[in-house]
Amino acid sequence: MAPYREIAARHPDGIVDLSIGTPVDPTPGLIQDALASAADAHGYPTTHGTQALREAISDWFARRRGVTDLDPQDILPTVGSKELVAWLPLLLGLRAGDVVVRPTVAYPTYDVGAHLAGATPVAADSLDELPDDVRARVRLVWINSPGNPTGEVLDVPALKTVVDDARALGAVVASDECYGELGWGAWDPADGGEPVPSVLDPRVSGGSHANLLAVYSLSKQSNVAGYRAAFTAGDPAIVANLVNSRKHAGMIVPYPVQEAMRTALADDAHVAAQKDLYRRRRGVLVPALERAGFTVSGSVAGLYLWVTNGQGTWDTIGMLAGLGILAGPGVFYGDAGNGFVRVALTGTDERVDAAAARLADTLR
């Protein structure tokens, strides 16, 4: 990407970097205050998280995700969600010969985590796609809804199918749901839609969290990417084993961050306000891209637009760089991403407006 960044940076009005999903808006004051108030953290924090934090997470699941049967005991804070994605196969005891299934277009860390454990990553959007000898070795199935980079959402029947098929194989389903609050259109309750469902939703789980883990992060909805504030929840036995392993591995969320998380999860207003900012930016970029000849695929939730203009990925990256716009190459997310680029909504209003204006200039 370095040569394209250099090209984009030469634009007279500066680069518009929409290639990565890091938040650009301030961390809400109430979260900063909670972090500061807990700064006298002279003792070691608990790996399992405070009871107050786990209760806040359980309450949030019930209030925002329709999961009303989550015991606070079955929740674990993590040092961001990425470290859990990377280390989960190893912490589950996977080894050579075991198979980790991930979506065909997916975040690269799913594969990295499999390799760290010596397991084999396999790209598939359905377990039915796999030959029998591979199916027999599946131990972990990653689902990502809303998806990064595609922005696609798995509805309740689709989630239930994955869960039922994986359970029949004795495999664990880990659901990366980090963009769960960022649905659009039919998945936006503020616009009359329904909430994005969780793998722990009783309609999906059948009332049992056995073999299920939901993975979540506050980075995007609360602008705390720098805090590394996340959690996982689900199967009681798996969570208990993760707690014990992580104690010895030093994978512990600092107490001030735990307090910041607790405060953030109890306040829905700042999440709604941040989502309004992304809604506005999305409303600018989608029509601008479409008028410039792009097709927006999926992208019904999350912070990205998954787009193609019919050219190869790198041709499109080069064209956008010539406009001073940096996007993410679809091929970074697997072979199935060829021909696509990922455009992030994580630019300031001013930079997003600049991108739209530059795209409009291509039509003149």
Side-chain angles (χ1 to χ4, degrees):
M1 286 296 291
Y4 298 100
R5 181 177 292 277
E6 291 177 6
I7 293 170
R10 291 199 289 267
H11 191 280
D13 187 37
I15 190 173
V16 178
D17 189 350
L18 304 178
S19 65
I20 56 177
T22 190
V24 297
D25 302 303
T27 300
L30 81 164
I31 300 175
Q32 295 188 49
D33 291 344
L35 185 79
S37 296
D40 182 14
H42 47 273
Y44 288 111
T46 61
T47 304
H48 197 186
T50 65
Q51 180 71 20
L53 171 59
R54 288 184 279 111
E55 288 177 356
I57 294 171
S58 178
D59 290 345
W60 176 83
F61 263 110
R63 189 176 72 251
R64 303 298 299 174
R65 308 302 305 281
V67 180
T68 57
D69 57 350
L70 180 58
D71 190 328
Q73 186 70 15
D74 304 332
I75 294 169
L76 167 69
T78 63
V79 190
S81 59
K82 190 172 197 174
E83 63 93 346
L84 184 75
V85 172
W87 293 110
L88 183 62
L90 186 66
L91 294 174
L92 290 176
L94 272 62
R95 54 194 172 185
D98 293 335
V99 167
V100 176
V101 178
R102 54 85 167 169
T104 53
V105 180
Y107 187 51
T109 308
Y110 302 131
D111 282 358
V112 171
H115 289 306
L116 287 172
T120 302
V122 173
D125 293 321
S126 168
L127 293 176
D128 290 339
E129 301 173 16
L130 304 177
D132 289 344
D133 62 320
V134 175
R135 281 174 57 90
R137 295 186 289 119
V138 173
R139 298 293 179 267
L140 174 62
V141 179
W142 278 108
I143 52 180
N144 181 206
S145 176
N148 172 18
T150 64
E152 295 179 345
V153 171
L154 298 178
D155 61 16
V156 167
L159 287 171
K160 190 174 188 306
T161 295
V162 175
V163 167
D164 290 348
D165 289 350
R167 280 174 166 168
L169 299 175
V172 173
V173 177
S175 179
D176 185 347
E177 304 176 356
C178 294
Y179 303 94
E181 289 268 22
L182 295 170
W184 311 112
W187 297 109
D188 187 356
D191 283 344
E194 60 179 289
V196 172
S198 169
V199 75
L200 301 183
D201 187 308
R203 297 172 297 172
V204 175
S205 69
S208 168
H209 295 164
N211 285 36
L212 305 181
L213 287 175
V215 180
Y216 204 80
S217 167
L218 300 189
S219 293
K220 306 304 193 294
Q221 72 181 48
S222 296
N223 290 336
V224 290
Y227 287 43
R228 312 312 300 133
F231 51 85
T232 189
D235 186 305
I238 293 176
V239 171
N241 284 332
L242 290 176
V243 171
N244 287 333
S245 298
R246 292 167 66 88
K247 283 178 183 177
H248 296 284
M251 296 176 176
I252 307 170
V253 177
Y255 175 72
V257 175
Q258 293 191 34
E259 281 295 280
M261 289 175 65
R262 182 180 63 80
T263 297
L265 287 163
D267 180 76
D268 298 333
H270 80 275
V271 179
Q274 183 60 46
K275 186 172 179 178
D276 283 342
L277 292 177
Y278 288 131
R279 185 183 288 107
R280 186 260 177 198
R281 293 163 188 166
R282 187 175 186 276
V284 170
L285 283 172
V286 168
L289 287 162
E290 290 178 339
R291 284 193 294 265
F294 287 86
T295 298
V296 179
S297 177
S299 308
V300 296
L303 290 182
Y304 312 106
L305 301 174
W306 187 237
V307 305
T308 180
N309 62 356
Q311 301 180 29
T313 287
W314 293 109
D315 292 331
T316 306
I317 291 291
M319 182 273 286
L320 290 171
L323 298 175
I325 301 169
L326 199 65
V331 292
F332 282 8
Y333 303 94
D335 293 340
N338 189 29
F340 287 86
V341 299
R342 192 191 77 169
V343 179
L345 304 180
T346 50
T348 63
D349 288 352
E350 184 273 333
R351 288 289 82 187
V352 166
D353 289 345
R358 295 175 193 183
L359 288 166
D361 284 343
T362 66
L363 305 177
R364 297 193 179 101

